[in-house]
Amino acid sequence: MIASAFRDAGFEVVYTGLHQTPEMIVNAAVQEDVDVVAMSVLSGAHMTLFPRVKMLLDEADADHMLLTGGGIIPEDDVTELERQGVGRLFGPGTSTADAIAYVNEWFATTHAG
Amino acid sequence: MNATARSDEHQALLKHFFDGKVLGLARAITVVENERAGFQELLHTVMASGPQTKRVGFTGPPGAGKSSLVAAVATEYRKLDEHLGVVAVDPTSPYSGGALLGDRIRMNDISTDPGIFIRSMATRGSLGGLAATTKEVVDLMDAFGFDRVLVETVGVGQTELEVTAAADTVVVVLVPESGDAIQAMKAGLMEIADVFVVNKADRPGAPRLVKELRQALHLRAGSALQDIPAHHGVDLGQAMKKERTTDAPAKEPEGWSVPVLTTNALTNEGVEKLLDTISEHRVWLEESGEIEQRRRARAAIRIRDVVDREMRRVAWKSDDVQRLLREGVEEISAGDGTPYSAADVILGTLLR
Ligand code: B12
Ligand SMILES: Nc1nc2c(ncn2[C@@H]2O[C@H](COP(=O)(O)OP(=O)(O)O)[C@@H](O)[C@H]2O)c(=O)[nH]1
Ligand SMILES: [Mg+2]
């Protein structure tokens, strides 16, 4: 659903499917040379998954990519993850328009000039 | 970004590329795919050593199992310790310009293998089953040093014939559900196929499709004897005919008779046999000299592509031409001209 919303907003979305390990995600992100990595974590494992992907991206020399996502993530965890350098995270009830606007804004500020 | 900064960036990128770093390849592909300034120089630099890799294309209707089969085939090649590049093309939505590239979903089992590099591409409005720069991306992978590159086309059905411009061996993947052999003939698949695969062999109807395809191929073999160069598709066929009339009469290659195989991409049944057949085709390509013909035909297409693209760019970026375009539109709307008269004026200026 999120992926097709981004497609409809004119993005090229590489959809990898469910149950990706952080290694698979980072490998795909590097090979596809993407601008943004967006993860949906509904399992409650967000506090390990997001930091691990962030770390692997940094190791792969891909720290210029925005890591964002959503799922069922409590406020406090969102704050903590953002402190660790993860981008904005979208909890239940998010409108996809907000997420798209956020990514567009990020792109405009980081790729200006 | 100014030209020096860009060329520094490309130097850094090329260093990574020639050091065999995946990041260098990934970024080079982005530069080429987006036709960023300097992309032609970049290609020129990396292509200097000429084509080395074996290129295998997979085409066929959507849902036929191309991605699954590519994954199965890639797994098999990895057992032989080949290093592989994979390019998978999916369609761009004509409404939003966005795309959902889903071929990786079927390739999850191989997606962390460091011996395989997978790249998804969106068609971005180009017809023919490939993206505008898929051929260039295959060239990059070639230069990067992969033993083999697998190309999966988009699979929209009728107009998949461009794959011949990117591959030495074209595998056409059909399934019982995709219709009968007559439809395959109408779609021009008989001309481009080096190997037919009936996938989903577990489904009813597979044996019938195999039989129909074999019959259709026999019919074709009868009528194709005077017309052997047509073997490899529309444009390419034309280009190859030209080659033949200008070159000294090449030794006619022993014909390749197109085999029809069956596979089940989910259980790997028939996949080993497919690999053997691809190898046999390779041997035939090399022994008959056909590979050289195909590479020449491909080179001709590529030169034309570059010239076409540059001509278009040079033409439309000129202020004069833009002015003439606007004037032409005014004339037409005032009833004083036609698109032809306006184009004449523009061409006159360009060719002066
Ligand atoms: C469908 C579903 C599944 C599907 C998931 C399919 C998929 N990944 O798309 C399947 C069957 C696989 C599944 C499995 C599991 N599920 Co489940 N699942 C649900 C269910 C019913 C709906 C979730 C859903 O897809 N909603 C639709 C999405 C679009 O909405 P959303 O999640 O609210 O997302 C919004 C925001 O979070 C945000 N967002 C979400 N992702 C992203 C990504 C990006 C990039 C952005 C920008 C925004 C964004 O925007 C969305 C729109 O507002 C919920 C219950 C519920 N009603 O919420 C349980 C639920 C999420 N599942 C739950 C659980 C426990 C599991 C499992 C762990 C079960 C198990 N033991 O195996 C596994 C985990 C699988 C995994 N690794 O992720 C719990 C989570 C509890 C928790 N976190 O504490 C829930 C809440 C059910 C419950 N009440 O127990 N589940
Ligand atoms: N039964 C069966 N299903 C298959 C086989 N190969 C692929 N599939 C399924 O067919 C669907 C489409 O496969 P995919 O590889 O995405 O097809 P593509 O669109 O041609 O790339 C998926 O659900 C696959 O699991 C096969 O040999 N047998
Ligand atoms: Mg596919």
Side-chain angles (χ1 to χ4, degrees), chain B residues 61-68 106 152 199-200 202-203 264-266:
Chain B
K66 296 180 296 297
S67 301
S68 312
R106 316 276 175 228
E152 178 190 341
N199 187 40
K200 307 198 186 178
D202 49 316
R203 298 269 176 87
N264 179 334
L266 304 185

Side-chain angles (χ1 to χ4, degrees), chain B residues 193-212:
Chain B
D194 295 308
V195 179
F196 271 110
V197 167
V198 174
N199 187 40
K200 307 198 186 178
D202 49 316
R203 298 269 176 87
R208 212 195 60 214
L209 180 58
V210 171
K211 212 173 117 200
E212 283 177 7

Side-chain angles (χ1 to χ4, degrees), chain A residues 10-93:
Chain A
F11 287 79
E12 287 181 358
V13 181
V14 180
Y15 186 65
T16 58
L18 303 174
H19 308 299
Q20 299 281 307
T21 64
E23 286 75 12
M24 287 159 92
I25 291 168
V26 172
N27 216 43
V30 170
Q31 292 182 357
E32 303 285 355
D33 194 24
V34 297
D35 299 306
V36 179
V37 178
M39 304 199 297
S40 193
V41 184
L42 306 169
S43 63
H46 48 268
M47 290 312 282
T48 49
L49 292 177
F50 279 101
R52 175 132 184 91
V53 168
K54 177 78 190 143
M55 189 194 86
L56 291 173
L57 282 175
D58 291 350
E59 272 175 16
D61 232 341
D63 48 349
H64 59 284
M65 293 178 195
L66 170 66
L67 174 60
T68 177
I72 303 167
I73 307 172
E75 275 306 315
D76 289 355
D77 291 354
V78 171
T79 318
E80 171 57 20
L81 288 171
E82 282 174 5
R83 199 190 58 76
Q84 296 181 20
V86 174
R88 237 178 97 186
L89 300 176
F90 297 86

